[in-house]
């Protein structure tokens, strides 16, 4: 057996950090690449590099020869054309830097449901709405999409360097990470904490379709397990897989469950969308007071809340479910209760003194 050496790109993010924990638990030699490492992780070999700087990458990876690369990083730019340029360049730069080593056996890329729903600029709009549940064979949309550009960069490198690949498309990822661009779980925890301290109602910010329709999400630990499974299972290689917890729910049920956990009053869909971004835009002073009162670690609301992305997900005009048949057929059977995912995250946030 050849030793498995992992390189997790974006190792401090919501997906990457949970993947790092799972890899180390499974006794992989694990390197984590990020622009900044906020705190040491036992068993992780940190690498600091800028994916847009080829010289920086060459220096950082000089003595690193991974067998498996897990790409979980992305950057947001002003429009989708810029997103395409910067995010495909990051993938190409990394795989080009590793190419001369001839050590890479598998590359796993994490994208998401914008593969089916369209890029930020046309997200879940007329002309992009797929038939649900979304399935892996759904054709690419006729819109520029940086997920497609990242995939193409992986395919090009795989043809050049003869490694296998897997693409992973989670729904909304629920898990622990601070400073993440897309973190619904922590966003809702912070919002609920503010509601509790101020006596405000926990107002549903989304659409009727999301409130009443079926949905699913992806626990970061389930995603980590699938990433490792696909990279080490022969018949799962060179495939794209959806990944969710394996259950479905309606937000009108889960919203009340979250409100009950925080002992606050839920206010459901009232006939109009009430964006969370607007609700949170003047809450920094309140959060600073809460953080000071309870001795919390993070006083910056912007580091915790990504209300814009939560609005994007919860404001969709259709119910969105993710078909997991392909993954099950190929042998991946891990399951997580969505209610447990949220409760587990809330408890960790309280234990880590992120929320009161």
């Amino acid at each position: 057996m050849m030793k498995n050496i992992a390189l997790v790109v974006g190792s401090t993010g919501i997906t990457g950090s949970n993947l790092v924990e799972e890899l180390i638990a499974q006794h992989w030699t694990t390197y984590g690449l990020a622009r900044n490492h906020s705190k040491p992780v036992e068993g992780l070999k940190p690498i600091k590099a800028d994916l847009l700087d080829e010289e920086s990458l060459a220096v950082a990876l000089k003595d690193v020869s991974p067998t498996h690369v897990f790409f979980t990083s992305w950057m947001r730019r002003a429009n989708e054309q810029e997103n395409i340029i910067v995010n495909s360049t990051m993938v190409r730069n990394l795989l080009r830097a590793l190419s001369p080593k001839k050590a890479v056996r598998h590359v796993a890329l994490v994208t998401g449901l914008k593969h089916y729903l369209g890029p930020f600029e046309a997200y879940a709009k007329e002309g992009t709405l797929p038939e649900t549940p979304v399935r892996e064979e759904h054709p690419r949309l006729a819109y520029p999409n940086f997920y497609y550009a990242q995939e193409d960069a992986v395919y090009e490198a795989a043809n050049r360097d003869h490694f296998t690949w897997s693409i992973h498309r989670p729904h909304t990822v629920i898990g622990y990470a601070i400073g993440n661009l897309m973190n619904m779980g922590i966003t809702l925890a912070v919002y609920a904490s503010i509601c509790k301290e101020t006596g405000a109602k926990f107002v549903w910010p989304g659409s009727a379709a999301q409130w009443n329709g079926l949905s699913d999400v992806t626990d970061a630990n389930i995603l980590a397990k699938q990433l490792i499974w696909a990279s080490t299972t022969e018949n799962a290689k060179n495939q794209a897989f959806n990944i969710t917890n394996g259950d479905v729910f309606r937000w009108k049920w889960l919203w009340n469950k979250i409100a009950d956990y925080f002992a606050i009053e839920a206010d459901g869909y009232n006939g109009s969308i009430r964006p969370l971004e607007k609700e949170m835009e003047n809450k920094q002073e309140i959060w600073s007071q809460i953080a000071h009162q309870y001795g919390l670690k993070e006083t910056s609301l912007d580091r915790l809340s990504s209300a814009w992305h939560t609005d994007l997900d919860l404001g969709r005009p259709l119910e969105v479910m993710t078909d997991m048949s392909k993954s099950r057929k190929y042998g991946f059977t891990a399951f997580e209760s969505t209610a447990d995912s949220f409760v587990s995250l809330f408890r960790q946030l309280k234990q880590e003194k992120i929320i009161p």
Side-chain angles (χ1 to χ4, degrees), residues 334-345:
F335 170 86
E336 180 66 50
S337 158
T338 290
D340 289 349
S341 288
F342 277 93
V343 169
S344 176
L345 172 62

Side-chain angles (χ1 to χ4, degrees), residues 154-165:
V154 170
Y155 301 151
E156 291 166 11
N159 288 333
R160 179 190 67 217
D161 297 331
H162 309 292
F163 56 72
T164 58
W165 52 266

Side-chain angles (χ1 to χ4, degrees), residues 261 342-352 355:
Y261 177 86
F342 277 93
V343 169
S344 176
L345 172 62
F346 298 156
R347 287 174 176 166
Q348 185 177 4
L349 292 171
K350 188 178 178 81
Q351 181 180 347
E352 296 285 336
I355 62 173

Side-chain angles (χ1 to χ4, degrees), residues 191-200 261-264 350:
Y191 174 45
S193 298
I194 290 173
C195 289
K196 184 168 186 176
E197 290 301 311
T198 61
Y261 177 86
F262 285 94
I264 55 180
K350 188 178 178 81

Side-chain angles (χ1 to χ4, degrees), residues 31-69:
Y31 292 87
L33 189 152
R35 282 175 293 178
N36 296 292
H37 292 270
S38 55
K39 63 179 182 179
V41 176
E42 185 177 357
L44 177 68
K45 303 176 186 295
I47 301 170
K48 183 177 180 179
D50 182 350
L51 289 166
L52 295 175
D53 184 338
E54 292 187 79
E55 185 176 341
S56 164
L57 276 172
V59 172
L61 297 172
K62 180 176 179 294
D63 299 318
V64 181
S65 297
T67 58
H68 295 70
V69 176

